[in-house]
Amino acid sequence: MSEIIVILLRTIVVFIIILTFFRFMGKKELGELSLLDIIVSLMIAELAVIAIEDPEVSMARGLAPIFLLILIQVILTTVSLKNQRFRDLIEGRPVMIIEKGKINQTNMRKQRYNLDDVLFQLREKGISDIRQVDFAILERSGNLSIFRKEDTSSLFTLPLIQDGVIQDDHLKVIEKTKEWLLSELAKRGYEQIKDIFYCSYMKGQFFIEEKDKRTVSK
C-alpha cells in the first residue's frame, strides 16, 4: 500500500513539473511544435515514466535528467529567438513549393515532399487544380500555406528582412536584388540592416519595424 502512495505522490510531482514546462513553452498547437520541442517532449515523457514507476530511483535522480532537458530547451530557445540562422538550423524554415503558379521540384526533393503530399493538402483546402494556386509555402509545421490566383482579398507578401538578416531567397521571388533593397532602405534613412526587426515590400510600399518596436510604413 505504501508503494502505491509513493507512486501516486511521484506522479503528482512529475505532472506538476511537466505541466509547468509546457506552460513555459507557450501556447502552441501540436502541429506547431518545432523539432526541438518534439524531441525534448518525447525524452521527458520517457524519463517521467522511469521517475514515476521505479520507487528504487530517488526523486532527485529521476528528475535530474528532466531538469537538464528543460535547461537545454530554455537555452536553445533563447538563442533561437535572438539568432535567425540558428533558428533555421534547429527548426528549418518555410520553403516555396509553388511559385507564381509553377511547382518548385527542387525544393520538393530537398524537403522529401512528393506530388501526392501537395495534391492532398490542396484538396484539404478545397483546391482541385494546381493551376488555381499562385503561391504555396511549406511551413515549419509541415502545413502548406496556399494563395490562390484569384484571391485578391488577401495580398501575398514575403519578409525581406527578419531579425536583421536579409532574406535573399525572398528577394529572388519578387525579382529584386540585395543592392536594390539596401538602396531603397538608405533612401528612407535605414543604414544598419541589423537594426531592422522586420521589413516587407508590397506595391511599392515598405513596411518596416525596427528592433526598438517603432513601426513605420514608407
Side-chain angles (χ1 to χ4, degrees), residues 34-37 39 76 79-81 83-94 111 140 167:
S34 68
L35 180 61
L36 175 62
D37 295 332
I39 291 173
L76 294 182
V79 174
S80 68
L81 284 173
N83 189 307
Q84 185 199 336
R85 291 188 177 89
F86 181 79
R87 183 166 63 248
D88 292 342
L89 177 65
I90 297 296
E91 301 180 6
R93 61 179 305 163
Q111 299 300 314
R140 288 187 173 99
Q167 310 298 304

Side-chain angles (χ1 to χ4, degrees), residues 110-160:
K110 288 180 180 178
Q111 299 300 314
R112 309 292 192 272
Y113 201 69
N114 60 52
L115 192 55
D116 288 333
D117 296 326
V118 176
L119 296 176
F120 171 72
Q121 294 216 39
L122 290 181
R123 289 194 296 270
E124 282 193 320
K125 302 291 195 306
I127 298 173
S128 59
D129 195 325
I130 289 179
R131 289 174 294 181
Q132 298 174 260
V133 180
D134 197 11
F135 290 91
I137 301 174
L138 183 63
E139 305 291 356
R140 288 187 173 99
S141 64
N143 293 323
L144 198 65
S145 297
I146 299 167
F147 299 84
R148 298 172 184 255
K149 287 183 178 179
E150 70 276 9
D151 187 6
T152 57
S153 61
S154 58
L155 298 176
F156 176 77
T157 185
L158 288 168
L160 302 183

Side-chain angles (χ1 to χ4, degrees), residues 10 41 45 53-54 185 187 207-208:
R10 291 164 76 101
S41 300
E53 290 188 344
D54 192 349
L185 292 176
K187 292 177 185 177
F207 174 82
I208 302 169

